[in-house]
Amino acid sequence: MMQLYTPLHFFGTYYRMIQQNFIDMEKMFDLFEVEESVKDIEDAKELQVTKGHVQFDHVSFSYDNRQTALNNISFTIPKGATVALVGPSGGGKSTILRLLFRFYDPDSGRILIDGQDISRVTQASLRKAIGVVPQDTVLFNDTILYNIRYGDVNASDEDVYRAAKAAQIHDKILSFPDGYNTKVGERGLRLSGGEKQRVAIARTILKNPPIILLDEATSALDTTTERHIQGALADMTKDRTTLVIAHRLSTIVNADLILVVKDGKVAEVGSHDELIMNALARKNEGIYYEMWQKQLDDHPDSSQVTSGVATP
Ligand code: ATP
């Protein structure tokens, strides 16, 4: 396999890897439309990530020139911060991630990473800097070793084991019939949703990108899996700028910043405690406050979640 990745084949292979990545993210992103809509400019430079500072600067975007998906949206994410995107369905959360990955260019405004306009850098360098963990990871019909090494095709076996340990999936893999050489995917061993997500996390840890986009699984996880995923995520997102479409109370509460995205705008912004306190000061009015109350009603056991003000 490895000879595929010699310099001669590098560009073709890299392109195919990107394509595969798209397939991997099919739920979040729409591959075919996107490939046509975005091209490198003629003298595109390599993106130089020094800090991982992300800025949306008055970004507007419409998929069809009729309905606005993002409406003059501006926010900045400090280096290394974890930002939770929450808000009603159709509000624009996935669109923010798609634009940052440059599946589409904004109609107006700019998206900057460490001060560089992402529409002016090569797509390859941009996508190398960004790791994506989708809701539903597609595994290749190959060994678990191959599936994790996909994050960095030059990684040694030891590197793969280290990433799997950090993603809290190593012990599980050792319990498979042939350990790391067990075939997985549709024609192999079927992994649970939580296990597949940890494979995606191991891949991303191996890829070692400074920026991470994460679409949390919406489906309910049992407590042990939830704990494993949280541990894996903590390791993956440490010191990396992370944008997460958050569905879990634990993620939301622990985020450095929460952006409430509604009707293509950032309707509210702040930490969990700030958003709750603001709502209380306004006689319990606030989108986030209402969402939080609903989540508490839906997850009565969430009193374990550490929160300053809102948990019982
Ligand atoms: P959800 O929580 O349901 O995933 P979201 O907050 O991620 O929603 P987006 O997927 O970003 O919302 O959608 C924002 C708006 O853009 C919606 O009005 C949606 O219908 C529209 N939209 C999303 N994808 C497309 C597309 N490929 N073509 C046309 N319109 C789209």
Side-chain angles (χ1 to χ4, degrees), residues 46-59:
E46 297 273 300
L47 173 70
Q48 306 290 339
V49 183
T50 48
K51 300 192 176 83
H53 177 271
V54 172
Q55 182 181 5
F56 275 56
D57 177 22
H58 296 96
V59 171

Side-chain angles (χ1 to χ4, degrees), residues 223 226-227 250 296 299-307 311-312:
T223 320
E226 169 75 33
R227 221 181 16 249
S250 45
L296 286 182
H299 304 271
D301 58 341
S302 57
S303 51
Q304 303 157 1
V305 175
T306 46
S307 151
T311 45

Side-chain angles (χ1 to χ4, degrees), residues 133-137 163-169 191-202 205 214-238 244-245 247-248 250-251 254:
V133 179
Q135 265 202 34
D136 195 11
T137 300
K165 279 181 192 157
Q168 308 217 5
I169 187 81
L191 302 189
S192 73
E195 288 161 0
K196 280 199 287 188
Q197 200 169 40
R198 275 177 281 156
V199 169
I201 291 169
I205 290 172
L214 165 66
D215 193 359
E216 272 185 349
T218 40
S219 52
L221 300 169
D222 62 71
T223 320
T224 316
T225 309
E226 169 75 33
R227 221 181 16 249
H228 278 137
I229 297 265
Q230 285 304 329
L233 289 178
D235 222 88
M236 180 180 75
T237 58
K238 194 167 167 289
V244 45
I245 298 181
H247 303 289
R248 297 189 200 126
S250 45
T251 308
N254 292 325

